[in-house]
Amino acid sequence: MPPPDNTIQKPDSFAALRYKDFRSYIGMRFFFTFAYQMQTTVLGFYIYQLTHSKVAIAFIGLSEAIPAVGIALYGGYVADKYEKRKMLLIIFTGVLLSSLVMFTVTLTGMHNYVHADWVIPILYAMIFCNGIARAFYGPATFTVYAQSIPKELYPNGSTWSSSSWQVASILGPFTGGLVYAFAGRVIPGLTGITATFGIIVIFMAVSLILVYLLRKYPPVFIPKENIWKSLKEGLNFVFKNKIMFYAMSLDLFSVFFGGVVALLPVFALDILKVGSEGLGIMRMASSLGAALTMIIMVRFSPMAKPWRNLLIAVAGFGLSIIGFGLSRVFYISLVCLFMQGAFDSVSVIIRGTLMQLLTPDTMRGRVSAVNSMFIGSSNEIGDFESGMAAKLIGTVPAVLFGGCMTLLIVTLTFFKTKSLLPLSLKDIQEPKAAH
């Protein structure tokens, strides 16, 4: 009989959660995402209700994407040079103040006695401010994650981090849709948008407190060269790394063309006719599919053949978008959105793990900034594309076009990266394979 210490040990699915700072990071990300997803859901619906304009929806994404992309590289440069906890305290305070402004606008009843032409610019201005915060948020949290757990736990940590994000993305839109729809009926004189922003402000405040509980994260490397040379070094690293470059490009173009989130208010009001509560359920369905898939992936990792699985996941994402565009039955639409979220979650975990493993500690801020330019703002830029396409060719044709373009992108990437398909995670970590 073999000694006890020679018995096969099962993988510890909770390994990353045994680290206190990682738990604080997860809590901070959960409450922030919950509030942010609520805000995104109700803002799109509210603005579309006021304007009935698909172009107005398109400009929601553009208002956030312009600053997020425009100063993303500088955000990465700052993240490499400065203490991360202090950065996050400033970022979260700014986002909280932005939410307070939007709450005040609705609380004072401005939308009742001031023309929408004045209300909407205020909302766009706050969205723009959130875009500025996001340019610094991504690089700072990327580094905090990397330093909160040992490197060998990155795959497990990536699964938990993505799962917490997806759970918050389920509860946030669902709660936002229900509160928006029913708050006024429960409390006379209270509008749904005001009640929703009240909850958003509370959860933003909780996330700020959790940031305060993090330990300090001083820079592990301070770039000595000037900012332009430093930023160029980060760009060169990404563009010379074949796996990283193609993973970012695949996500950028698939989300740019295949995203349907911006058009969900149009489907909720005009096509499926399910109102704000239906909008919340649709937003929830996608996140529910992602969260359940990620829970499964805690036990069954997709990293055995990461590049092959990434291409399969993005192809499934595109097919789900096409199914959603063709559906006129609410429950079938929910199934398609569920599958979209499930496939997207696989690509998120694979891409997140590869990014962490292939990025040197000395370049995490700058590489994360490049990632933010490619991926972090692709949703918002995709929202702009979706809104404009819906205006030009119609809502349903815009969705079908996006799904078909996603499949085309996967096909082209497949032929460009055939050599990566059989590689295991261990093979990819080797310098020769990674480049």
Side-chain angles (χ1 to χ4, degrees):
M1 180 176 177
D5 56 358
N6 286 341
T7 57
I8 297 175
Q9 299 292 322
K10 292 183 179 180
D12 184 2
S13 298
F14 299 92
L17 293 178
R18 303 189 189 284
Y19 290 80
K20 177 181 177 295
D21 244 38
F22 184 76
R23 294 196 300 271
S24 297
Y25 165 82
I26 288 290
M28 168 203 76
R29 199 162 186 247
F30 174 85
F31 285 105
F32 177 77
T33 302
F34 184 100
Y36 208 80
Q37 291 293 323
M38 278 187 74
Q39 183 169 288
T40 302
T41 300
V42 299
L43 273 178
F45 193 84
Y46 179 60
I47 289 175
Y48 188 68
Q49 270 193 325
L50 288 178
T51 65
H52 289 282
S53 168
K54 296 164 189 175
V55 176
I57 291 179
F59 277 100
I60 295 175
L62 191 64
S63 296
E64 185 168 348
I66 287 175
V69 173
I71 59 176
L73 289 177
Y74 180 69
Y77 177 79
V78 171
D80 277 339
K81 288 174 68 76
Y82 294 102
E83 197 272 308
K84 312 305 178 294
R85 177 174 169 270
K86 183 178 180 180
M87 278 187 66
L88 287 174
L89 285 172
I90 296 172
I91 292 165
F92 276 65
T93 299
V95 175
L96 175 60
L97 291 175
S98 173
S99 297
L100 279 170
V101 170
M102 289 189 271
F103 172 72
T104 303
V105 167
T106 61
L107 181 63
T108 55
M110 287 181 69
H111 57 285
N112 289 329
Y113 60 83
V114 177
H115 194 272
D117 288 346
W118 288 99
V119 174
I120 292 175
I122 294 174
L123 298 179
Y124 283 151
M126 294 303 101
I127 295 169
F128 185 90
C129 292
N130 288 340
I132 295 174
R134 273 192 49 192
F136 296 90
Y137 171 80
T141 54
F142 188 74
T143 303
V144 169
Y145 167 86
Q147 295 182 19
S148 64
I149 52 175
K151 196 168 187 177
E152 61 269 18
L153 296 183
Y154 283 176
N156 181 258
S158 179
T159 302
W160 280 111
S161 178
S162 298
S163 297
S164 69
W165 186 91
Q166 290 294 351
V167 171
S169 296
I170 294 170
L171 298 178
F174 181 67
T175 304
L178 289 181
V179 173
Y180 191 103
F182 297 111
R185 305 177 196 177
V186 176
I187 305 175
L190 181 67
T191 62
I193 188 70
T194 299
T196 306
F197 267 108
I199 297 173
I200 290 169
V201 168
I202 292 171
F203 276 76
M204 287 291 186
V206 172
S207 65
L208 179 60
I209 293 170
L210 288 169
V211 172
Y212 183 79
L213 295 178
L214 288 170
R215 66 179 173 87
K216 293 184 177 181
Y217 285 87
V220 295
F221 169 78
I222 300 178
K224 294 181 174 60
E225 61 271 19
N226 66 61
I227 181 171
W228 300 114
K229 186 176 180 180
S230 178
L231 296 180
K232 184 179 178 182
E233 184 181 8
L235 285 168
N236 287 339
F237 176 82
V238 170
F239 281 94
K240 289 180 180 179
N241 189 301
K242 183 177 181 181
I243 293 176
M244 194 174 288
F245 173 74
Y246 276 109
M248 288 184 180
S249 300
L250 186 65
D251 183 86
L252 170 65
F253 290 108
S254 62
V255 174
F256 178 81
F257 289 109
V260 298
V261 172
L263 298 178
L264 289 183
V266 183
F267 276 88
L269 280 174
D270 300 338
I271 298 175
L272 299 173
K273 302 185 185 302
V274 292
S276 62
E277 56 267 45
L279 172 64
I281 293 172
M282 284 195 289
R283 287 291 301 270
M284 180 190 73
S286 178
S287 297
L288 180 61
L292 291 179
T293 303
M294 286 180 174
I295 290 171
I296 294 172
M297 286 189 291
V298 170
R299 186 67 181 86
F300 302 99
S301 173
M303 301 305 295
K305 292 285 188 292
W307 196 255
R308 178 201 66 186
N309 293 339
L310 180 63
L311 292 178
I312 292 172
V314 179
F317 177 85
L319 290 172
S320 301
I321 294 299
I322 293 173
F324 176 78
L326 293 173
S327 172
R328 294 298 176 273
V329 179
F330 181 56
Y331 296 107
I332 295 177
S333 298
L334 292 181
V335 171
C336 292
L337 290 172
F338 180 93
M339 295 306 301
Q340 173 208 336
F343 284 118
D344 188 47
S345 68
V346 177
S347 67
V348 166
I349 285 182
I350 294 173
R351 195 173 57 249
T353 302
L354 292 176
M355 285 287 296
Q356 290 288 355
L357 290 173
L358 297 176
T359 304
D361 288 339
T362 57
M363 299 185 69
R364 290 195 178 276
R366 284 164 289 170
V367 171
S368 177
V370 177
N371 181 58
S372 294
M373 292 182 68
F374 271 79
I375 295 172
S377 297
S378 59
N379 290 318
E380 287 73 29
I381 298 174
D383 290 348
F384 178 73
E385 182 274 336
S386 297
M388 296 305 295
K391 174 68 175 177
L392 295 173
I393 63 176
T395 303
V396 173
V399 172
L400 296 179
F401 170 76
C404 292
M405 286 299 297
T406 299
L407 294 180
L408 176 62
I409 290 159
V410 173
T411 303
L412 294 175
T413 305
F414 168 80
F415 286 110
K416 282 282 189 179
T417 60
K418 278 186 176 181
S419 61
L420 301 177
L421 294 176
L423 298 182
S424 67
L425 184 61
K426 183 178 179 182
D427 296 328
I428 286 176
Q429 290 182 72
E430 296 296 326
K432 184 177 179 180
H435 291 76

